[in-house]
Amino acid sequence: DNQIPPLRVTRSAGTVSMGEICLRKSLSYFVACLVLSFLAISSATASGDVSAAMKLFDAAIHHKHDDSRAFVGRADCHACEGRHQQAIDDYTEALRLNPHDSGCRYNRAVVYRQSGQHGRAFAEFESLASKMSEHGPLHLNLGLTCLSLGKLSRAVKELRIAAQLMPNSSEASE
């Protein structure tokens, strides 16, 4: 049978309902799955429930094992739910498939920091610093990671850069 079980995706704002969606296993299925996953994440963000998005990312990964975007999406869901190790595992798999994805590498570094793996977070942020030198959140996270590691002069330097790049951010100016 070429059918995928129906998935239900609704927007919590109540203005748009996707209803039941039956998709076929094909390239169009995979593309549709990614689009619906984006909608599910939008809905999940509004409602606080990521289960619909997780089902869609799981289906996308089951259908096509070598697309890093589905792993990144599922990792984002895990990170939102505080499942740090699962997020790290999925980000790592996405990076195996697409080693040049700086956004994915940055997200994994953030999860490393959130899970208390400051040494790994530092190494990851450090490797991104030259590629993303104008990215204020990177410098903020690198500075906070340096504080956790007791690298005070480096922390001050990175937090100053973050404050310059993000002048309206309360986090960066504290």
Side-chain angles (χ1 to χ4, degrees):
D1 187 358
N2 213 17
Q3 293 290 321
I4 298 291
L7 300 170
R8 183 174 301 279
V9 179
T10 58
R11 294 198 59 157
S12 61
T15 56
V16 178
S17 175
M18 296 296 289
E20 276 192 22
I21 300 167
C22 292
L23 301 169
R24 296 190 177 274
K25 291 181 181 177
S26 66
L27 180 61
S28 61
Y29 163 76
F30 181 70
V31 171
C33 210
L34 288 176
V35 169
L36 292 174
S37 295
F38 175 76
L39 291 174
I41 287 203
S42 297
S43 175
T45 301
S47 70
D49 177 19
V50 298
S51 62
M54 287 294 293
K55 287 178 185 175
L56 290 167
F57 285 121
D58 285 342
I61 290 166
H62 177 75
H63 179 67
K64 187 170 178 169
H65 307 292
D66 63 348
D67 193 301
S68 65
R69 296 169 296 181
F71 283 99
V72 169
R74 189 169 73 177
D76 291 343
C77 290
H78 284 309
C80 286
E81 292 288 302
R83 293 187 297 268
H84 297 126
Q85 192 55 54
Q86 291 95 327
I88 290 166
D89 292 346
D90 277 348
Y91 286 134
T92 300
E93 180 61 17
L95 287 166
R96 185 187 70 75
L97 296 168
N98 182 6
H100 304 291
D101 185 343
S102 296
C104 178
R105 193 169 301 283
Y106 170 79
N107 288 347
R108 184 173 71 174
V110 169
V111 175
Y112 278 145
R113 187 175 77 73
Q114 290 171 341
S115 67
Q117 298 180 54
H118 301 292
R120 286 184 171 187
F122 176 79
E124 202 90 278
F125 287 132
E126 182 77 2
S127 75
L128 291 167
S130 63
K131 296 175 195 166
M132 300 172 69
S133 63
E134 299 297 315
H135 190 254
L138 173 105
H139 293 284
L140 175 63
N141 278 291
L142 180 53
L144 295 173
T145 302
C146 287
L147 278 176
S148 297
L149 293 171
K151 299 177 182 219
L152 300 182
S153 62
R154 178 70 186 273
V156 169
K157 174 187 169 195
E158 295 300 331
L159 293 172
R160 282 187 180 148
I161 294 170
Q164 290 172 347
L165 294 172
M166 303 176 353
N168 297 324
S169 170
S170 61
E171 286 182 86
S173 61
E174 291 175 1

